[in-house]
Amino acid sequence: MKLKRILPFAKQLIMSTVEPGDIVVDATAGNGHDTLFLTELVGEHGHVYAFDVQEEAIVATTKRLEEANKLDKATIILDGHENLHFYIQQEVSAAIFNLGYLPGSDHEIITRGDSTQRAIESLLQLLKVGGIIVLVVYHGHLGGKEEKDSILHYVQNLSQSFVHVLSYQFLNQQNDPPFIIAIEKMKEQK
């Protein structure tokens, strides 16, 4: 068996869950790579909701989707992922987060544990049974360790009868390597 690197494993988790026609969320649109990937998975009748707080991320994501002729498969929203419940009322099969900052932009603008936790809480209400939330946690920046600790504390305390939570990481890599937290919804919470 070969161990998958972080990003390929994140994509594998999403691909194993999303089917054509599904509604999915890119909680941190960034440069649009995951948004484009998700539009390909949901096919002709599915839809992607992509969120980011930075105008430059919205522009980059829009451009990437236009170039791939997939813009009609996504709604790109200039707002924080903690507000996703204002935009989405349908059942969601999967969501992906890339926590940290937008590569090549202002490192002062970062995701934060409290807003990410609120987004996860909303998604758990919208997520179908068998659906998955994948968080790629980049924590080697100012504020990253606080977010990592906050999110880990939150997910470790989710009920195991409601969700299963996985951590996937390489333990012998230096310089704060990213890792994955995956949350699979097992049944509706009562």
Side-chain angles (χ1 to χ4, degrees):
M1 176 176 121
K2 288 189 177 185
L3 298 175
K4 289 207 180 274
R5 298 294 175 240
I6 295 300
L7 294 178
F9 187 64
K11 284 186 172 186
Q12 179 183 338
L13 289 169
I14 296 291
M15 288 185 322
S16 70
T17 304
V18 176
E19 297 178 0
D22 282 351
I23 306 295
V24 298
V25 175
D26 183 351
T28 51
N31 288 312
H33 296 285
D34 286 338
T35 307
L36 178 58
F37 167 69
L38 292 170
T39 63
E40 293 165 355
L41 293 180
V42 300
E44 208 47 41
H45 302 290
H47 199 75
V48 178
Y49 289 89
F51 294 84
D52 211 292
V53 297
Q54 294 183 77
E55 182 69 37
E56 78 180 271
I58 299 302
V59 169
T61 299
T62 301
K63 181 179 179 197
R64 187 169 306 282
L65 293 180
E66 282 176 340
E67 289 171 353
N69 199 27
K70 299 279 188 178
L71 192 55
D72 63 328
K73 298 290 154 224
T75 301
I76 305 168
I77 301 162
L78 179 61
D79 201 353
H81 50 231
E82 69 274 16
N83 295 320
L84 63 88
H85 61 281
F86 292 124
Y87 302 93
I88 308 169
Q89 283 75 46
Q90 307 100 310
E91 184 177 70
V92 170
S93 66
I96 190 163
F97 293 71
N98 282 287
L99 303 180
Y101 58 84
L102 177 63
S105 79
D106 185 352
H107 292 199
E108 299 280 322
I109 302 171
I110 60 172
T111 55
R112 301 198 184 278
D114 60 337
S115 60
T116 299
Q117 181 178 324
R118 290 196 310 274
I120 294 168
E121 288 169 353
S122 292
L123 283 166
L124 287 174
Q125 297 302 312
L126 296 169
L127 201 64
K128 72 178 184 179
V129 172
I132 195 165
I133 301 168
V134 176
L135 299 104
V136 182
V137 183
Y138 294 90
H139 57 99
H141 59 278
L142 191 61
K145 290 186 184 24
E146 292 81 3
E147 180 178 35
K148 175 189 82 166
D149 292 343
S150 170
I151 297 301
L152 283 172
H153 176 74
Y154 171 70
V155 299
Q156 287 169 346
N157 288 292
L158 291 171
S159 170
Q160 68 180 5
S161 62
F162 169 51
V163 296
H164 288 168
V165 180
L166 166 83
S167 175
Y168 183 81
Q169 58 189 329
F170 291 93
L171 298 174
N172 65 340
Q173 292 183 358
Q174 298 176 4
N175 301 321
D176 302 310
F179 66 97
I180 290 174
I181 298 170
I183 305 167
E184 181 182 12
K185 186 170 181 176
M186 302 312 295
K187 66 179 183 179
E188 294 296 338
Q189 190 172 20
K190 295 180 181 183

